[in-house]
C-alpha cells in the first residue's frame, strides 16, 4: 500500500537496513543462556577470572542483557525500542497497521512515511531533504545502516521498481530462481493447478518423512511468493498447505505443477498503480461451495486500490454451509473485514476515499445483505455475518454490487481456473 502511494505521489524512496537490530533492545526479564564449551573456553582465556564459574561440562551460564536472535520476546522488544525512537521524533503509528509511521511537516506541507519490517525500513517523502533527514536520524540512532537510494530497491525479498511514473513493479526473481534451482524445475505449466486440485486420493502413497519435510518447506516458499507477487497461485498454495502433515505422491505432483507455473511466469511482475483521489477500494470476493472433502467452501478475496491487487487471500471456510448463497455470505463477511482495514489504512495515510465497493456474483446473497433478511431458516453463525454486513451497508461505509462470474477477479482465487478465464483474471 505505501509503495503504491509513493509511486502515485511521485515520492522519493529510500530503503535502509539496520544492522544488529535486536541487540539494540534491552531484555526486560532474567533470561539465562548456557554457552557451548568452545565459546566458554574462549571467554575464559580472555577473562581468567571466569574460570570458577565453569560447570562440570566446561560451560558458562550467562544472563542476557540485550535481546538476542532466537529469544521469543526479542522481536517485540526491538519493535518497542524502534517505535519509541520514531515517536520521540514526532512520528505517529497508523492505528490500522502498527508497522507504518507518519509525520506531517507543516513548513513543507508534506507527509513522510516510514514502513518497517523487523530491521528493514521503507522511507518515502516528496521532499528529498526530509527523506535524507530521516536517513541521518537513523544513522545517529543506530550507526550501522545500509542505505539504498534510487528507483529500484530490494526489500524483504522483493524488487520494487519505480522507474515508470505512478507505477511500482514488483518482482522476486532472486527468491524464485533459488527455489526453482533447488527443486530442479526447468519446464513450465499454463496454470498453477489442474481441475482436480481439491480432490484427495486416499489410495495415493504417503510421502516419507524426509520428502514430507521438503514438501512443507517448498509450500511455505510458494506461499511467501504468492502472497507478494503471484496472487493467482494462492488457491493452489492454500490447498497444498492443508496437506503438509499428510502429503502423498499425488500432492507432490500437484506441487510440481505449481512450481512449473511459477517457472513459466517468473519474469511477470506485479504492477501496482493507485487511482487518483478519492480512491475507490474494490474488494472482489467469490466463494466455491462445498469443494473440500468435508464439504466446506473456498473463499477468494482480491483487494485493489487501482491497478493490481494490494492484498489477496484464498482460504478454506471455517464453517459448513447449506447452500451456495450461504457460502458466498460467509466469504463476503470474511472478505469485507480486510478490505475495510485497507480502506482505513488509506484514510490514516491521508488519502481521500469513497465507500468500499464489494463485487459479488451471487444475486441471492446480494439480496440478503442489502435487505437484511435471510432467504429461509439460518443458523446463528450465518445471522451474525448477515447483519454485520447489512449494518456496514446501511451506514454507508460499504457498497455491494453484482458482477457476472466471468468478470469477477476473485473467481481465480476460489477455484483452479483454466485457459482463457484464468488468463483474464490473472
Amino acid at each position: 500500500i505505501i509503495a503504491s502511494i509513493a509511486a502515485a505521489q511521485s515520492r522519493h524512496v529510500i530503503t535502509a537496513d539496520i544492522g544488529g537490530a535486536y541487540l539494540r533492545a534491552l531484555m526486560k526479564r532474567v533470561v539465562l543462556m548456557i554457552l557451548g564449551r568452545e565459546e566458554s573456553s574462549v571467554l575464559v582465556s580472555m577473562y581468567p577470572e571466569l574460570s570458577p564459574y565453569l560447570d562440570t561440562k566446561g560451560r558458562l551460564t550467562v544472563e542476557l542483557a540485550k535481546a538476542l536472535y532466537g529469544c521469543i520476546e526479542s522481536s517485540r522488544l526491538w519493535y518497542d525500542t524502534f517505535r519509541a525512537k520514531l515517536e520521540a521524533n514526532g512520528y505517529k503509528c497508523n492505528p490500522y497497521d502498527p508497522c507504518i509511521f507518519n509525520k506531517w511537516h507543516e513548513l513543507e506541507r508534506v507527509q513522510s512515511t516510514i514502513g518497517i519490517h523487523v530491521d528493514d525500513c521503507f522511507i518515502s517523502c516528496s521532499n528529498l531533504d526530509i527523506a535524507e533527514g530521516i536517513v541521518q536520524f537513523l544513522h545517529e540512532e543506530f550507526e550501522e545502516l545500509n542505505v539504498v537510494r534510487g528507483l529500484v530497491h530490494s526489500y524483504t525479498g522483493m524488487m520494487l521498481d519505480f522507474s515508470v511514473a505512478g507505477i511500482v513493479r514488483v518482482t522476486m526473481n532472486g527468491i524464485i530462481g533459488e527455489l526453482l534451482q533447488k527443486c530442479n524445475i526447468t519446464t513450465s505449466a499454463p496454470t498453477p493447478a489442474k481441475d482436480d486440485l481439491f480432490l484427495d486420493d486416499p489410495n495415493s502413497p504417503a510421502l516419507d518423512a524426509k520428502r514430507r519435510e521438503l514438501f512443507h518447506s517448498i509450500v511455505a516458499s510458494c506461499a511467501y511468493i504468492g502472497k507478494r507477487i503471484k496472487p493467482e497461485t494462492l488457491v493452489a498454495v492454500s490447498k497444498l498447505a492443508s496437506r503438509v502433515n499428510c502429503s502423498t505422491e499425488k500432492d507432490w505432483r500437484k506441487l510440481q505443477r505449481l512450481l512449473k507455473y511459477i517457472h513459466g511466469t517468473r519474469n511477470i511482475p506485479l504492477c501496482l498503480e493507485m487511482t487518483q483521489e478519492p480512491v475507490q477500494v474494490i474488494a472482489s470476493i467469490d466463494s466455491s461451495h462445498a469443494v473440500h472433502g468435508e464439504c466446506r467452501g473456498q473463499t477468494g478475496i482480491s483487494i485493489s486500490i487501482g491497478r493490481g491487487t494490494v492484498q489477496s487471500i484464498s482460504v478454506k471456510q471455517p464453517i459448513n454451509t447449506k447452500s451456495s448463497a450461504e457460502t458466498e455470505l460467509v466469504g463476503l463477511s470474511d472478505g469485507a473485514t480486510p478490505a475495510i482495514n485497507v480502506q482505513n489504512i488509506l484514510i490514516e495515510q491521508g488519502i481521500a476515499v469513497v465507500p468500499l465497493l464489494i463485487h459479488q456474483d451471487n444475486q441471492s446473497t446480494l439480496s440478503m445483505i442489502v435487505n437484511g433478511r435471510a432467504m429461509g431458516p439460518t443458523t446463528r453463525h450465518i445471522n451474525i455475518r448477515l447483519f454485520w454486513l447489512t449494518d456496514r451497508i446501511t451506514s454507508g461505509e460499504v457498497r455491494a454490487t453484482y458482477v457476472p462470474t466471468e468478470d469477477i477477479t476473485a473467481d481465480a482465487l476460489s477455484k483452479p481456473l483454466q485457459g482463457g478465464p484464468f488468463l483474464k483474471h490473472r
Side-chain angles (χ1 to χ4, degrees), residues 21-29 64-67 73 77-78 81:
Y22 282 10
L23 296 178
R24 302 178 189 279
L26 300 177
M27 296 296 289
K28 293 184 177 180
R29 66 185 181 95
L64 298 182
K66 297 183 178 182
E73 67 265 61
L77 292 171
W78 160 244
T81 300

Side-chain angles (χ1 to χ4, degrees), residues 253-390:
R253 291 193 294 272
K254 291 177 181 178
L255 179 58
Q256 296 298 300
R257 167 78 177 209
L258 172 59
L259 291 169
K260 290 178 181 179
Y261 172 79
I262 293 174
H263 175 271
T265 60
R266 62 192 181 281
N267 294 320
I268 299 178
L270 172 66
C271 297
L272 300 174
E273 182 179 13
M274 188 176 77
T275 58
Q276 292 184 346
E277 297 184 55
V279 173
Q280 174 71 81
V281 179
I282 299 177
S284 174
I285 304 173
D286 187 58
S287 298
S288 295
H289 179 59
V291 293
H292 289 279
E294 64 271 59
C295 292
R296 290 187 179 179
Q298 182 80 11
T299 293
I301 306 159
S302 175
I303 304 170
S304 66
I305 57 176
R307 180 184 178 188
T309 175
V310 294
Q311 185 175 6
S312 294
I313 300 169
S314 183
V315 63
K316 182 166 68 174
Q317 293 194 344
I319 61 173
N320 288 86
T321 53
K322 296 182 291 182
S323 67
S324 60
E326 282 194 1
T327 300
E328 295 283 8
L329 178 59
V330 171
L332 277 177
S333 174
D334 292 346
T337 301
I340 290 173
N341 191 64
V342 167
Q343 177 121 323
N344 287 334
I345 289 173
L346 289 175
I347 293 171
E348 289 295 327
Q349 292 304 114
I351 304 297
V353 300
V354 295
L356 168 68
L357 180 61
I358 293 178
H359 287 175
Q360 170 58 213
D361 67 350
N362 189 300
Q363 301 215 48
S364 295
T365 305
L366 275 176
S367 178
M368 290 167 62
I369 63 173
V370 171
N371 297 324
R373 186 176 68 253
M375 312 289 283
T378 59
T379 65
R380 183 171 182 270
H381 295 292
I382 297 299
N383 283 333
I384 290 172
R385 286 170 165 81
L386 170 62
F387 291 116
W388 180 84
L389 269 172
T390 300

Side-chain angles (χ1 to χ4, degrees), residues 85 118 136 196 205 207 220 248-249 257 296 319 373 390:
K85 291 184 180 296
V118 191
Q136 182 60 35
D196 66 348
L207 300 181
T248 66
E249 291 292 344
R257 167 78 177 209
R296 290 187 179 179
I319 61 173
R373 186 176 68 253
T390 300

